[in-house]
Amino acid sequence: MSSHEPEPHSEFDVPPLTETIAPGTASDPDVTSAETATVTVDGQEVEVEAGSTLLDAVEEVETDEYVPALCHYDRQDIGPRSECRTCMVETDEGVVPACSTPAEDGLDVSTDAAPASEARDVNLDLVLSDHNLRCTTCGKNGRCDLQDVSIENDVEEPRYGVLDDRDEYEPIDDTSDFIQIDRNKCILCNRCVEACNDVQVEGVLRMEGHGGDTRIGFQNGSDTMEGSTCVSCGHCVTVCPTGSLVEKGIEDATTIPLPGFNQKNSVGKVVESADVEKGPMTPMKRDQVTETTRETGGDEERDWP
Amino acid sequence: MSETVGSQRLAVRVAGRESGDVAAAARERADAPVVEAGSTGVPGVEPLLAASDGDETTFYANATPADAEAVADALAGDGALPDGDATVDTADAAALPLPDLDGFGAERSVLARCGWIAPTNPDAYADAVGFTDADPDAVVESAGGVLGRGWGDWSADEPVGPLWEGVRERDGSPAVVVNAHGNPGDALLGESDPFSVLEGAAHVARVVDAVQVFVYVSEDDEAARDALTAAADAYPDFPVDVSVVEGPAAYRAAEPTMAIEAVEGNHRLEARLRPPGPEVEGVFGEPTVVHTARTVAHVAAAVRGEPTDSRVLSVTGDADEATLELTADDALDTALDAAGVSDYTGVLVGGRFGGLTTDLDVTPTPDALDAADLGTDGVLEVLGPDACPVAFVGKRAQFAEDANCGRCVPCREGSKQLTELLRDVYEGSLDRPKIDELMRVMESSSVCAFGQHAPRPVRTGLQEFAEEFEAHAQGTCPAGQCLSDATGEEPARAKP
């Protein structure tokens, strides 16, 4: 068992050491090629350098079919997370995710094989099934990756519908002065968690829960952005592919101006700031409580149907 | 050592949990050694008292301290043994002589010592089979062809040899993870014969030149954890560092990469991307072999020269739980017969996400199970005669929805939509093409075996019980479990 007890911070207020960061995500292996490789994509030979994935090769050429690769980011040490599986392609070894399969010499990639095409379409619709598709009230309307790939993929009516059950809506977290979170739009791509932990080394955000309760939370256990150790650097917002994280002040920037209709009341529930005198802008890092209790259970059965 | 029985003529054994009082009562009266063994795999008859007198052993199911006193008095020469529930000739003192009771089956190989020897006493294990100290090449030679058992094994249904070779040839400080999490067969071996698990792990550790062995158990399997910990402490000259690590009890936690995440101490368990698999980047980035307890027990048996094609199977569900063993030639219905199960709607073969079937004339080998679209995880979950298969597969889809790790879309969102599509059946809509499409994508694009196998109960259930599904879409439940009556009133909630 790992005996990496976090070093207690000294009495000085110092940035957290990376060992104390608990993002709640798996330690993925390196999923890039070790050497330069030549792969064939829809009949065209592509040479990619060492450290490449099949998606790098796919992006080099005009493919027969569109490969959304929605959750892919691949900049600033973020990703691949390979969570949305909208980049499935067919190879000699079956259907694989292009974003997280190393480019190996001689691999033959096909984007228009029926199983790959079906998997990309179904998975994109599955993403949409858990998304609050209220684009006209969203501050990211017109600058949203999910919207872009849905249009590009000719999604007209997602086969599983969209999240439109108001009982299931999570309140918008409007407590921070700088960043608003609407988890009803979150696709759990994990970019914000990696930007926060791996790039900014701030250790604020984490992935928590499992199954349908999986969500972005805070490493200090706070329920709200205001109570978290966020320093408002804004990196999470810049990498968010949807309207889940937006800068305060421009959350209605692209909202179609219908009287009385805006981002907040489209969901109906909002957690507002407690509006108390804050003193220092964020809680001190040394107050940070890292979750150490393990997840338990989750296997109990519910009623049926 | 009094716990060691070896070839002594007179002995009293008490198997199973809650057996302390019975053993204490026997010790009070008997001169013969009294052994507290682990579970036999048949908890319904435990505490199971076994009185050996010469070449004969008499079994007393659900024994009480009074039974123990009577048996002890008889063995001390004060009269004949009281009538037992079964009497068996005992030629081999090293293995449980199988009583003619429900749940025991006809033959035991890797389970032979479960419920018979003191599990954490190295002398008992040494007397029974002996610790084998084979050199790595001999281990590969004798055990490389063993097929990995269980969904928590990184070479499930594949020969273990190539996995070991890959790790052995790779640079780094290899680790071995013995995954004893969750499956009743793995937990039984950990509880009742931990030395065979550790011996198999020691063989693998020598082959891959590992620096560390982690034995991974569910926090719910306390008996297995305690026995494995005690055995690891008592193991004579274990070749490398060995530690027992607990993980959360959730089903997903047995997935091989989640087992590694748990060993590393991650507080939230999530499947890792692959390729590459743990054999390239495992525990703390080092090459790692992940085998279930069943697999390494079969490895230990192979190194001893015993045949290793037997299969550990557990009968669960609407039946008294029993873990037993079948040979590769025995059909699955042999196991149900042995467990005393004769009447059922169907059986889910091969774990939580196995295949639902009524045809059990299938041998337990991976090839035969695969051909029948059944799972290989060694669990036969019985649906009793009154069970509704439609409700059952619906609940299994709902379990997938509730219990997945939350990482990938096809599993997390797919299982949710699959559950919804099955609920729609109760509303009169049975959309097979839509259900089939979703299941195909979950199977082809989920990150790990959880999502890849989650649709199997539904897919096989739709095939095997097509009429029941049609009937539900028409508003009736042939089993009478789901709908209060045929008048189209609100469906009654099925029992959880």
Side-chain angles (χ1 to χ4, degrees):
Chain A
M1 161 121 236
S2 158
S3 55
H4 285 299
E5 275 301 310
E7 285 289 316
H9 291 153
S10 67
E11 56 263 50
F12 303 108
D13 185 29
V14 294
L17 302 171
T18 50
E19 298 89 82
T20 67
I21 289 180
T25 50
S27 307
D28 284 329
D30 183 12
V31 292
T32 58
S33 62
E35 295 161 358
T36 306
T38 304
V39 300
T40 309
V41 181
D42 292 337
Q44 309 158 75
E45 282 203 351
V46 191
E47 189 178 297
V48 290
E49 57 195 33
S52 296
T53 63
L54 288 185
L55 188 61
D56 294 320
V58 166
E59 287 178 341
E60 286 290 310
V61 297
E62 189 77 22
T63 49
D64 289 345
E65 282 191 22
Y66 175 54
V67 179
L70 170 62
C71 74
H72 177 71
Y73 191 69
D74 198 29
R75 277 168 277 165
Q76 306 163 343
D77 295 325
I78 295 174
R81 173 80 171 156
S82 199
E83 163 261 333
C84 73
R85 314 299 257 195
T86 63
C87 64
M88 304 303 287
V89 293
E90 188 159 282
T91 69
D92 328 335
E93 287 158 23
V95 179
V96 299
C99 76
S100 60
T101 302
E104 274 174 32
D105 220 27
L107 267 181
D108 192 4
V109 175
S110 160
T111 61
D112 65 350
S117 189
E118 177 181 75
R120 293 195 302 268
D121 291 350
V122 166
N123 284 330
L124 181 54
D125 279 359
L126 284 170
V127 173
L128 290 165
S129 74
D130 195 34
H131 183 78
N132 171 15
L133 202 66
R134 291 171 178 260
C135 299
T136 56
T137 68
C138 179
K140 287 267 189 80
N141 190 15
R143 50 193 180 102
C144 165
D145 290 355
L146 178 57
Q147 195 179 39
D148 290 347
V149 301
S150 299
I151 293 167
E152 184 74 17
N153 209 48
D154 296 326
V155 177
E156 287 187 1
E157 201 172 326
R159 66 197 83 190
Y160 309 111
V162 296
L163 178 65
D164 201 24
D165 179 353
R166 293 183 77 94
D167 293 341
E168 287 186 8
Y169 279 154
E170 273 206 60
I172 293 173
D173 183 348
D174 199 44
T175 59
S176 156
D177 287 336
F178 297 95
I179 295 163
Q180 184 189 74
I181 308 185
D182 182 354
R183 292 187 176 81
N184 307 295
K185 294 172 182 164
C186 177
I187 62 168
L188 298 171
C189 69
N190 207 50
R191 287 184 199 174
C192 57
V193 174
E194 290 181 51
C196 184
N197 296 294
D198 301 348
V199 185
Q200 298 296 333
V201 203
E202 270 301 324
V204 178
L205 297 175
R206 71 172 178 207
M207 193 66 82
E208 59 186 26
H210 63 269
D213 299 327
T214 311
R215 70 199 283 276
I216 304 295
F218 303 104
Q219 295 194 24
N220 71 345
S222 172
D223 289 333
T224 61
M225 196 92 190
E226 186 180 38
S228 77
T229 56
C230 176
V231 298
S232 306
C233 77
H235 200 158
C236 56
V237 176
T238 66
V239 298
C240 179
T242 70
S244 197
L245 288 158
V246 290
E247 300 94 336
K248 289 292 288 286
I250 59 168
E251 62 267 44
D252 295 326
T254 60
T255 301
I256 291 177
L258 292 176
F261 199 34
N262 62 31
Q263 151 75 3
K264 281 200 207 171
N265 70 16
S266 77
V267 166
K269 285 176 278 186
V270 181
V271 183
E272 304 281 2
S273 164
D275 230 10
V276 291
E277 197 65 40
K278 292 194 185 72
M281 186 58 69
T282 59
M284 293 299 179
K285 286 293 180 194
R286 66 165 169 261
D287 293 339
Q288 175 169 306
V289 181
T290 299
E291 181 74 45
T292 51
T293 49
R294 287 171 175 279
E295 59 173 339
T296 51
D299 286 4
E300 66 281 350
E301 291 199 34
R302 286 191 279 151
D303 276 355
W304 176 264
Chain B
M1 186 164 274
S2 69
E3 295 270 293
T4 313
V5 176
S7 54
Q8 295 196 47
R9 229 177 124 256
L10 297 176
V12 178
R13 294 177 175 84
V14 193
R17 290 173 219 171
E18 320 292 331
S19 62
D21 292 347
V22 181
R27 269 197 199 102
E28 198 123 303
R29 303 273 186 114
D31 293 329
V34 177
V35 176
E36 278 184 71
S39 176
T40 56
V42 189
V45 299
E46 293 170 357
L48 180 67
L49 181 63
S52 300
D53 185 0
D55 289 336
E56 212 165 62
T57 296
T58 305
F59 289 92
Y60 304 86
N62 306 116
T64 61
D67 293 333
E69 287 169 7
V71 162
D73 288 346
L75 287 177
D78 304 343
L81 277 170
D83 286 342
D85 296 294
T87 300
V88 188
D89 282 342
T90 314
D92 178 8
L96 173 74
L98 292 172
D100 186 16
L101 295 171
D102 282 349
F104 283 90
E107 279 180 65
R108 287 189 172 203
S109 166
V110 289
L111 298 181
R113 290 163 299 283
C114 294
W116 190 247
I117 67 169
T120 59
N121 183 330
D123 297 337
Y125 185 78
D127 277 358
V129 283
F131 291 93
T132 312
D133 205 5
D135 75 81
D137 289 338
V139 172
V140 175
E141 175 77 19
S142 55
V146 167
L147 302 179
R149 263 85 163 168
W151 91 285
D153 197 294
W154 189 247
S155 57
D157 306 328
E158 304 282 338
V160 292
L163 182 76
W164 300 346
E165 304 278 1
V167 170
R168 177 152 74 168
E169 286 161 16
R170 193 161 283 278
D171 292 338
S173 308
V176 174
V177 174
V178 177
N179 190 349
H181 187 296
N183 180 286
D186 292 321
L188 175 65
L189 283 164
E191 175 185 345
S192 297
D193 194 11
F195 284 111
S196 74
V197 175
L198 291 168
E199 187 182 21
H203 291 317
V204 181
R206 285 193 202 95
V207 168
V208 301
D209 200 13
V211 300
Q212 177 85 46
V213 170
F214 299 96
V215 182
Y216 175 60
V217 295
S218 161
E219 64 187 1
D220 273 5
D221 291 332
E222 289 170 27
R225 177 200 62 200
D226 293 346
L228 284 161
T229 306
D233 287 342
Y235 197 98
D237 299 327
F238 200 79
V240 295
D241 278 352
V242 52
S243 44
V244 178
V245 184
E246 272 186 315
Y251 173 74
R252 64 182 170 282
E255 195 277 333
T257 66
M258 288 193 238
I260 289 173
E261 289 280 313
V263 164
E264 289 185 2
N266 203 341
H267 68 284
R268 177 177 172 273
L269 301 189
E270 196 179 71
R272 284 183 182 176
L273 288 184
R274 64 213 61 184
E279 76 281 13
V280 177
E281 285 190 55
V283 178
F284 299 117
E286 302 292 345
T288 300
V289 176
V290 186
H291 285 317
T292 58
R294 280 167 289 164
T295 303
V296 290
H298 280 286
V299 166
V303 172
R304 284 195 296 270
E306 296 169 12
T308 63
D309 58 352
S310 71
R311 292 264 152 186
V312 174
L313 295 170
S314 301
V315 179
T316 67
D318 298 331
D320 290 332
E321 186 170 322
T323 296
L324 45 84
E325 218 168 319
L326 289 190
T327 70
D329 301 326
D330 289 331
L332 295 175
D333 42 21
T334 321
L336 292 168
D337 287 347
V341 178
S342 54
D343 197 9
Y344 46 81
T345 301
V347 177
L348 189 79
V349 176
R352 298 272 185 123
F353 298 135
L356 186 56
T357 186
T358 53
D359 176 13
L360 294 159
D361 189 17
V362 180
T363 56
T365 60
D367 285 348
L369 292 167
D370 208 41
D373 203 1
L374 304 174
T376 58
D377 192 26
V379 177
L380 304 175
E381 186 173 349
V382 178
L383 276 69
D386 301 328
C388 170
V390 178
F392 177 81
V393 301
K395 288 175 74 169
R396 205 38 58 98
Q398 191 173 53
F399 171 79
E401 178 192 348
D402 292 342
N404 69 73
C405 80
R407 174 166 190 159
C408 73
V409 164
C411 180
R412 185 186 70 229
E413 305 299 338
S415 57
K416 185 172 170 184
Q417 294 303 326
L418 183 60
T419 308
E420 292 299 326
L421 290 170
L422 292 172
R423 280 210 183 91
D424 290 346
V425 174
Y426 289 80
E427 311 288 327
S429 163
L430 175 56
D431 192 341
R432 278 299 297 270
K434 199 172 180 183
I435 294 173
D436 290 342
E437 175 191 67
L438 177 59
M439 294 196 295
R440 276 198 302 275
V441 172
M442 289 177 72
E443 287 166 354
S444 71
S445 63
S446 291
V447 168
C448 79
F450 187 106
Q452 290 160 10
H453 294 166
R456 186 161 49 200
V458 180
R459 195 184 61 244
T460 51
L462 277 163
Q463 204 163 351
E464 190 85 23
F465 296 99
E467 284 175 21
E468 279 82 352
F469 277 88
E470 288 295 343
H472 279 73
Q474 309 290 329
T476 57
C477 171
Q481 189 189 341
C482 302
L483 305 159
S484 52
D485 53 44
T487 59
E489 285 178 14
E490 283 291 294
R493 290 283 186 187
K495 281 186 203 132

